[in-house]
């Protein structure tokens, strides 16, 4: 694994952002539609990148039928690796939207989508538990602007995918969590200002 990542690094790769970790607990069997690797493999890739001085990001896609214990196992996994390497730049919890997902994920459509309250609780727990992460991100794509704005008061340090483009209108294709969005850049930027979190 280290040799493979090293070859990518030598070819110009200097970070690994935006991957979907799903739930890092191999007991969660229903993840097959969105995650085909084992927890051990995911850890090995990120550990190798960190050993080479590359930063990566960690995520958690929840709300697909896993238990709270599975979610805590996920948080503990990324916390331990961060303690070991210090190589994660951020952590982002995503809520899974099965009814908006690709047709091949129809087996997941029996699960109810996580509510905004559940998302905010998960965000707050992530911020408290992952004390060795500098940045826990709120997410625009899965929650929408108003919940994301509240998320800045529930431990979210920044807004993922916000104010990162010079274009007048931000557009993102359907993501692995099952959502897509388009809006003016000024909307989320104003939302940040209204919370008093920036000058």
């Amino acid at each position: 694994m280290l040799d493979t990542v090293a070859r990518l690094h030598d070819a110009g790769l200097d970070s690994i952002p935006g991957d979907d970790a799903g739930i890092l607990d191999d007991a969660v069997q229903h993840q097959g539609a969105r995650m085909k690797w084992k927890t051990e493999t995911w850890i090995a890739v990120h550990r190798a990148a960190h050993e080479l001085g590359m930063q990566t990001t960690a995520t958690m896609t929840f709300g697909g039928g896993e238990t709270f214990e599975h979610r805590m196992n996920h948080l503990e996994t990324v916390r331990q690796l961060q303690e070991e390497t210090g190589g994660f730049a951020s952590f982002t919890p995503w809520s899974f939207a099965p009814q908006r997902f690709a047709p091949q994920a129809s087996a997941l459509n029996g699960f109810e989508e996580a509510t905004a309250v559940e998302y905010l609780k998960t965000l707050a727990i992530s911020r408290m538990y992952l004390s060795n992460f500098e940045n826990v991100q709120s997410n625009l794509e899965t929650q929408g602007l108003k919940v994301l704005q509240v998320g800045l008061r529930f431990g979210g340090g920044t807004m993922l995918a916000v104010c990162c483009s010079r274009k007048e209108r931000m557009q993102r294709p359907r993501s692995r969590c099952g959502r897509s969005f388009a809006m003016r850049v000024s909307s989320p930027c104003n939302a940040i200002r209204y919370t008093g979190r920036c000058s």
Side-chain angles (χ1 to χ4, degrees):
M1 184 66 69
L2 182 60
D3 179 63
T4 299
V5 178
R7 291 170 63 188
L8 293 170
H9 184 51
D10 291 342
L13 184 69
D14 58 10
S15 66
I16 306 177
D19 66 319
D20 178 9
I23 293 290
L24 295 175
D25 188 321
D26 293 339
V28 183
Q29 297 297 322
H30 65 266
Q31 298 188 100
R34 59 192 166 103
M35 175 178 159
K36 299 184 182 301
W37 52 81
K38 296 290 186 181
T39 297
E40 180 181 356
T41 305
W42 189 93
I43 293 172
V45 170
H46 288 265
R47 179 182 284 120
H50 297 170
E51 289 178 1
L52 294 168
M54 300 165 60
Q55 282 197 321
T56 69
T57 62
T59 64
M60 178 174 71
T61 306
F62 66 94
E66 75 286 339
T67 66
F68 291 118
E69 181 180 2
H70 292 144
R71 296 181 194 180
M72 292 309 300
N73 289 343
H74 180 107
L75 293 177
E76 178 61 19
T77 296
V78 296
R79 176 184 169 85
Q80 287 184 2
L81 186 55
Q82 179 74 336
E83 194 69 23
E84 175 188 336
T85 67
F88 287 116
S90 66
F91 175 83
T92 307
W94 304 69
S95 59
F96 184 54
Q99 71 277 19
R100 299 177 177 85
F101 206 70
Q104 61 267 30
S106 58
L108 300 178
N109 287 339
F111 299 119
E112 293 186 8
E113 183 177 349
T115 65
V117 171
E118 185 175 358
Y119 171 80
L120 291 170
K121 287 181 178 179
T122 302
L123 181 64
I125 291 169
S126 300
R127 177 63 285 174
M128 290 186 289
Y129 198 79
L130 300 178
S131 58
N132 55 358
F133 274 71
E134 182 177 353
N135 185 22
V136 173
Q137 294 183 323
S138 299
N139 185 259
L140 175 62
E141 290 182 67
T142 63
Q143 294 305 312
L145 191 57
K146 291 185 178 180
V147 174
L148 181 144
Q149 188 179 32
V150 177
L152 293 177
R153 296 295 183 183
F154 276 73
T158 60
M159 293 182 173
L160 180 63
V162 172
C163 301
C164 57
S165 172
R166 294 181 180 274
K167 294 182 179 180
E168 178 70 15
R169 187 173 179 83
M170 292 192 306
Q171 291 186 320
R172 288 283 293 272
R174 187 174 299 276
S175 67
R176 300 184 73 177
C177 62
R179 289 188 186 271
S180 59
F181 74 89
M183 66 171 59
R184 290 185 178 277
V185 173
S186 59
S187 297
C189 290
N190 287 335
I192 298 171
R193 294 189 185 97
Y194 294 153
T195 65
R197 293 296 298 273
C198 69
S199 57

